[in-house]
Structure formats: structure tokens, C-alpha cells
Amino acid sequence: MTDSCPPPLPKAYDRYDTASYTPYPRNIPVARRHVAQLALDWGHPGLADAASLLASELCTNALLHGCLRDRLFRVETSLTGKALRVAVSDPRGERLPATRNADPDDQFGRGLLLVHAYADRWAVEKLTVGKIVWAELDITGSLDA
């Protein structure tokens, strides 16, 4: 396996974690639990559920639309004084995510709608190789859980 996503440049975070995963569905709950545990460990239990949902949706999108065989996807979780950020990078920068209208019987197509509903901000950035999709949760009041 190769990690096609370059390591991030140093940024001014209070806390930072990164984990790379093989592109298999079994790794989505692993990433989700890891992000939830980070929110707890970093003192924001009120954000754990929303952060884990964001991780799950972003990882699922990366797996379904952004991964290549033998290329890892990366989950970066960071905390600043204002927000908890979950970012997922994958090697397919030509496949940018977009919201769509799913029919009631569709199994897929609602992930970014959930991201939009739960996150205070989210965006997509193209990388030299691939892309990164991130979502942020404001930490105001998150200690009360």
C-alpha cells in the first residue's frame, strides 16, 4: 500500500492526530470510533457523536468515490480554540463531491447533506495529488455533555 496523500504542512493546532487507512469498508467504523475517542480525550464529549458521524460520512465518500486500489485514505482530526475539524483526504482529486437530491428509495446520496446539516462549516480543497474534504464543529458549549 502506498500513501498518496502528502503529509500536511504544520499548522497552529492545539491538538492534532492523523491516521491512514486501507480502502476497505471495515475501516470506516474504525475511523469513526477513533475520531469520537479523540473528541472525548481532548475534552469535548459533546462533540463526539457529531464528529464520529462526520468522519463516517467523509470516509464513506472517500471510499466510494475517491480511493484507488493500493492507495490509503487519511483522516486528520484537529482542535483549535474555536473548532474541532475532521478532514479526509483521498487520491482522486478529479472526483469532487457534490450534494445531490436522492430519491426516497435510494440507498446512497445523502452523505453530504448530513455533513452540511451537522457541520458548522465544510469545504473541499484540491491537493497536488488528490483532495481533502473537511468539516468543522464549533466548540462553544461542547464541554457540557
Side-chain angles (χ1 to χ4, degrees):
M1 291 286 171
T2 60
D3 191 348
S4 66
C5 303
L9 297 173
K11 296 185 180 180
Y13 296 124
D14 296 329
R15 302 280 185 139
Y16 177 81
D17 180 84
T18 184
S20 294
Y21 299 94
T22 53
Y24 297 109
R26 67 179 175 257
N27 284 321
I28 293 171
V30 174
R32 179 178 60 232
R33 285 189 300 270
H34 183 69
V35 168
Q37 189 61 52
L38 289 171
L40 293 170
D41 292 347
W42 293 348
H44 297 283
L47 297 180
D49 288 342
S52 68
L53 178 129
L54 292 173
S56 183
E57 295 303 327
L58 296 178
C59 289
T60 299
N61 277 350
L63 186 70
L64 292 175
H65 308 294
C67 287
L68 298 169
R69 194 177 126 192
D70 296 336
R71 302 292 175 124
L72 303 176
F73 68 94
R74 176 180 288 133
V75 178
E76 298 175 43
T77 310
S78 57
L79 178 69
T80 66
K82 296 181 181 182
L84 177 72
R85 176 183 280 211
V86 177
V88 177
S89 55
D90 65 61
R92 301 214 39 207
E94 75 279 7
R95 297 197 66 187
L96 299 178
T99 57
R100 66 180 194 134
N101 293 322
D103 291 328
D105 294 334
D106 288 345
Q107 182 178 0
F108 300 102
R110 295 173 189 82
L112 287 179
L113 295 174
L114 288 169
V115 170
H116 181 74
Y118 277 80
D120 292 297
R121 287 163 299 289
W122 73 278
V124 181
E125 297 174 17
K126 291 187 96 175
L127 302 172
T128 303
V129 175
K131 67 181 172 295
I132 189 164
V133 184
W134 58 265
E136 289 183 342
L137 297 166
D138 290 336
I139 62 170
T140 305
S142 67
L143 294 172
D144 305 327

